[in-house]
């Protein structure tokens, strides 16, 4: 389905991004990975995807808090893999604090990675997508792009902004073959969420298993984590011809969180 297409997936060395990268590769897309981590482990992931799915893979350690490096990521993918047909803006970080105590530098960092990086990557890639009259831009937002939670001012602001950016890019390309949509996950058991579970367990002096259960019970009616593989399959659909008129959508996969 995606053979001959090239996908850039930010934050794809673990968690949701890796799940999306694997799902796209399974359909034949060549993959540019991006993210931080142990170099040996990243090389293992890169070669593993190439071997398992028979696709080309590359890796960039671009720091997406820096606009020049975000632009460089698109340039590197174009240089190494020939073009960029699919852009998945997934990289994200979380900082939790009440507004009055929120560190200024952490606010700027969350916004730069969770929102501005998506803008700069889209800006860099849209011209070549428009030239070929085909492209898929998928922004991994969050249910927090649709609702709010306490102590997450920067994250919620960035994710709401990402949903808004999705709609603008979709409208600007509405008469082209370039689409832009957002996926809004609820709780996914990623390293980012695991840190919140660990903090909850420590704060309440309970087991990690109990902390995870409470986390789900508080927000997610299904009481089950969404999986990276499930999100990857939704991304695959968004890249399909069947989704060619899906434009500016923010689709939540959240175990019923937003339905409450």
């Amino acid at each position: 389905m995606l053979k001959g297409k090239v996908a850039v997936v930010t934050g794809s060395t673990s968690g949701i991004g890796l799940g999306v990268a694997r799902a796209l590769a399974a359909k034949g897309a060549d993959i540019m990975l991006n993210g931080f981590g142990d170099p040996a482990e990243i090389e293992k992931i890169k070669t593993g995807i190439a071997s398992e799915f028979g696709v080309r893979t590359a890796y960039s350690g671009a720091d997406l808090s820096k606009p020049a490096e975000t632009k460089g990521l698109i340039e590197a993918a174009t240089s190494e893999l020939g073009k960029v047909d699919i852009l998945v803006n997934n990289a994200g970080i979380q900082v939790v604090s009440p507004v009055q105590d929120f560190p200024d530098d952490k606010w700027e960092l969350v916004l730069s990675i969770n929102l501005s990086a998506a803008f700069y990557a889209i800006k860099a890639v849209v011209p070549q997508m428009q030239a070929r009259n085909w492209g898929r831009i998928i922004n991994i937002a969050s249910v927090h792009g649709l609702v709010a939670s306490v102590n997450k001012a920067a994250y919620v602001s960035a994710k709401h902004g990402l949903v808004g950016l999705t709609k603008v890019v979709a409208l600007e390309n509405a008469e082209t073959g370039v689409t832009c949509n957002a996926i809004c996950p609820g709780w996914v058991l990623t390293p980012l969420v695991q840190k919140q579970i660990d903090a909850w367990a420590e704060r309440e002096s309970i087991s990690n298993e109990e902390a995870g259960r409470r986390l789900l019970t508080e927000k997610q009616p299904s009481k089950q984590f969404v999986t990276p593989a499930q999100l990857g399959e939704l991304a695959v659909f968004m890249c399909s011809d069947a989704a060619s008129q899906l434009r500016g959508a923010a689709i939540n996969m959240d175990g019923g969180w937003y339905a409450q």
Side-chain angles (χ1 to χ4, degrees):
M1 175 182 141
L2 295 176
K3 191 167 182 61
K5 304 297 187 185
V6 175
V8 172
V9 186
T10 68
S12 51
T13 53
S14 66
I16 294 172
L18 181 55
V20 171
R22 287 182 55 81
L24 296 175
K27 297 299 182 181
D30 298 323
I31 304 294
M32 169 62 86
L33 297 165
N34 159 260
F36 298 132
D38 177 70
E41 182 62 26
I42 292 171
E43 180 63 22
K44 182 178 177 182
I45 291 169
K46 182 171 77 75
T47 57
I49 290 174
S51 175
E52 182 176 355
F53 301 114
V55 299
R56 296 180 298 157
T57 57
Y59 166 74
S60 167
D63 180 350
L64 301 187
S65 68
K66 301 174 181 177
E69 293 197 28
T70 303
K71 179 183 177 183
L73 170 62
I74 300 302
E75 292 172 345
T78 303
S79 174
E80 293 185 47
L81 299 174
K83 57 179 179 171
V84 177
D85 301 292
I86 300 163
L87 169 64
V88 182
N89 288 306
N90 167 75
I93 62 170
Q94 175 69 284
V95 176
V96 179
S97 175
V99 168
Q100 66 271 20
D101 300 324
F102 212 101
D104 293 352
D105 61 332
K106 297 301 184 184
W107 168 271
E108 297 295 340
L109 184 62
V110 172
L111 269 289
S112 69
I113 294 174
N114 294 17
L115 177 57
S116 295
F119 165 76
Y120 288 114
I122 291 169
K123 181 179 180 181
V125 81
V126 159
Q128 62 170 284
M129 289 181 173
Q130 290 175 337
R132 291 190 297 272
N133 199 38
W134 199 96
R136 296 290 186 267
I137 299 168
I138 301 171
N139 294 322
I140 307 299
S142 167
V143 69
H144 280 121
L146 306 172
V147 299
S149 292
V150 298
N151 298 329
K152 297 181 178 179
Y155 189 85
V156 170
S157 297
K159 294 301 187 178
H160 272 70
L162 190 56
V163 170
L165 177 63
T166 299
K167 295 176 181 180
V168 171
V169 174
L171 290 175
E172 290 182 357
N173 289 277
E175 294 184 25
T176 76
V178 180
T179 70
C180 184
N181 295 287
I183 296 175
C184 299
W187 291 126
V188 185
L189 193 55
T190 63
L192 193 69
V193 171
Q194 187 62 54
K195 288 181 182 178
Q196 296 180 61
I197 294 173
D198 294 344
W200 194 331
E202 183 177 355
R203 184 175 66 248
E204 301 293 332
S205 297
I206 57 177
S207 68
N208 275 50
E209 291 75 13
E210 176 62 17
R213 188 191 68 78
R214 292 186 187 182
L215 185 80
L216 287 169
T217 300
E218 182 184 47
K219 300 282 190 180
Q220 203 144 301
S222 70
K223 298 181 176 61
Q224 298 180 58
F225 286 105
V226 179
T227 69
Q230 290 168 336
L231 295 167
E233 290 303 318
L234 180 53
V236 167
F237 171 72
M238 287 181 169
C239 293
S240 70
D241 290 339
S244 64
Q245 290 306 310
L246 191 68
R247 294 169 182 263
I251 298 179
N252 46 302
M253 184 180 281
D254 58 9
W257 184 333
Y258 189 58
Q260 299 178 94

